[in-house]
Amino acid sequence: MKMMNQKKLKIGYKEYEIVRKDEVIDLPNECYGKIDYDNEIIEISTKYSQNQRNATFLHEMFHGIFAKLDRDDLRNDEVVVNQLATELYMIIKENPHIFSMKDI
Ligand SMILES: [Zn+2]
């Protein structure tokens, strides 16, 4: 039986490992999280709240989606990535029933 790997995020042919760290540095700054496209790693800083970590995870996920789509213009647009992550996170949080599919 195949087990779901809870610590991986598959985006296309890439399988990003999700790593929690005490401190995430994207030189020269400390940050909430970061994505390494080549080594397929998403780092999430544990310094911040669970809400912040979840939003950060979605933020890095959108970077990964745009990388997969070869949309480097969007991948590098921190404003767009941030807005998508924040809006999606709020919708998921405020509408927990939608993913049960019973209401669609
Ligand atoms: Zn970013």
Side-chain angles (χ1 to χ4, degrees):
M1 198 173 95
K2 241 182 158 181
M3 294 285 285
M4 274 267 287
N5 191 331
Q6 308 267 347
K7 298 275 183 184
K8 293 219 170 178
L9 175 69
K10 287 181 75 168
I11 302 178
Y13 60 83
K14 291 192 186 249
E15 281 193 31
Y16 290 96
E17 187 182 351
I18 300 155
V19 180
R20 294 154 190 263
K21 293 183 80 176
D22 296 340
E23 190 173 56
V24 177
I25 307 290
D26 198 358
L27 286 172
N29 303 311
E30 183 172 1
C31 51
Y32 294 128
K34 72 175 174 183
I35 183 166
D36 180 334
Y37 305 102
D38 295 325
N39 295 310
E40 301 181 12
I41 295 169
I42 290 174
E43 293 181 359
I44 306 289
S45 174
T46 56
K47 255 186 203 173
Y48 306 98
S49 69
Q50 189 61 58
N51 276 332
Q52 180 61 63
R53 290 184 216 179
N54 293 348
T56 299
F57 172 73
L58 292 176
H59 177 107
E60 304 309 335
M61 181 192 78
F62 276 113
H63 277 304
I65 289 170
F66 288 133
K68 179 201 175 250
L69 295 173
D70 280 325
R71 288 297 304 269
D72 286 350
D73 53 331
L74 294 172
R75 176 173 71 87
N76 294 320
D77 190 331
E78 289 297 331
V79 174
V80 166
V81 168
N82 241 341
Q83 286 176 340
L84 283 171
T86 304
E87 295 303 314
L88 177 59
Y89 185 45
M90 287 194 305
I91 284 174
I92 291 170
K93 264 196 90 154
E94 290 167 12
N95 303 277
H97 58 288
I98 60 171
F99 291 112
S100 72
M101 302 305 282
K102 286 175 188 155
D103 301 317
I104 295 175

